Amino acid sequence: MPPSLPDLPNIDPALFRKTAAADLSGVATSAHAPRFLLLYGSVRERSYSRLLTMEAARLLDAMGGDVRVFDPRGLPLPDGEPDTHPKVLELRELAQWAEGMVWCSPERHGAMTGIMKAQIDWIPLSVGAVRPTQGKTLAVMEVSGGSQSFNAVNQLRILGRWMRMITIPNQSSVAKAFLEFDDAGRMKPSAYYDRVVDVMEELFKFTLLTRDVSALLTDRYSERKESAEELSRRVNQKAI
């Protein structure tokens, strides 16, 4: 029997673990380029969230990342089609493939767009034993038609936490986005552009630091306890 833990009578000692530096010493370092999935929240012909996302994609690519941008056109409303819909399968496969994400939404009526939310709603917390988002990094950005606002990025942060992602501290909010891109769709030099560079650098670094230890970072006592109880139930059922 494992020893009891003093002053912690409600803890199962067999499932309680102390994390030490030694837990990181044997972690293998991935050799492949960090993998990033970028989502944007508008399907307008001149979508500023898409233009900002493409700038972010170019930066991550230049830093050495493997980058994919998901096109939300044709994605059905959540529960409007079965999850075998081709666009849903594409999105979920990319979410599973990625080690980090960028979510970029316009602010509409003081909130993220429905297109942005629909993409996130189609990504489940778990698919069998696979967790498409847990432990992965996330950067959030928004574009506004008027003065600078942070409503959309604040909402995206809540969603990132709900999806159990490591949402980096930095973020980008581009005000009056229609003034920040040239006719070719490229972002003009500005403090806003410099902030986007900062955010992508931070995302890249956090991804390198965490991608190989995400299993350790998301190893939870409550889930170990739940799994042990489920295993015990199955054993007892077989014994009957």
Side-chain angles (χ1 to χ4, degrees), residues 151-168:
N151 291 321
V153 288
N154 287 339
Q155 291 179 329
L156 291 171
R157 283 190 176 278
I158 292 172
L159 283 172
R161 183 170 68 246
W162 189 261
M163 302 299 281
R164 298 178 176 179
M165 302 184 76
I166 303 168
T167 309
I168 67 170

Side-chain angles (χ1 to χ4, degrees), residues 38-40 48-57 69 104 141:
L38 283 64
L39 308 179
Y40 58 91
Y48 293 107
S49 64
R50 177 175 57 81
L51 296 181
L52 183 58
T53 297
M54 296 310 298
E55 289 295 337
V69 179
C104 180
M141 305 193 298

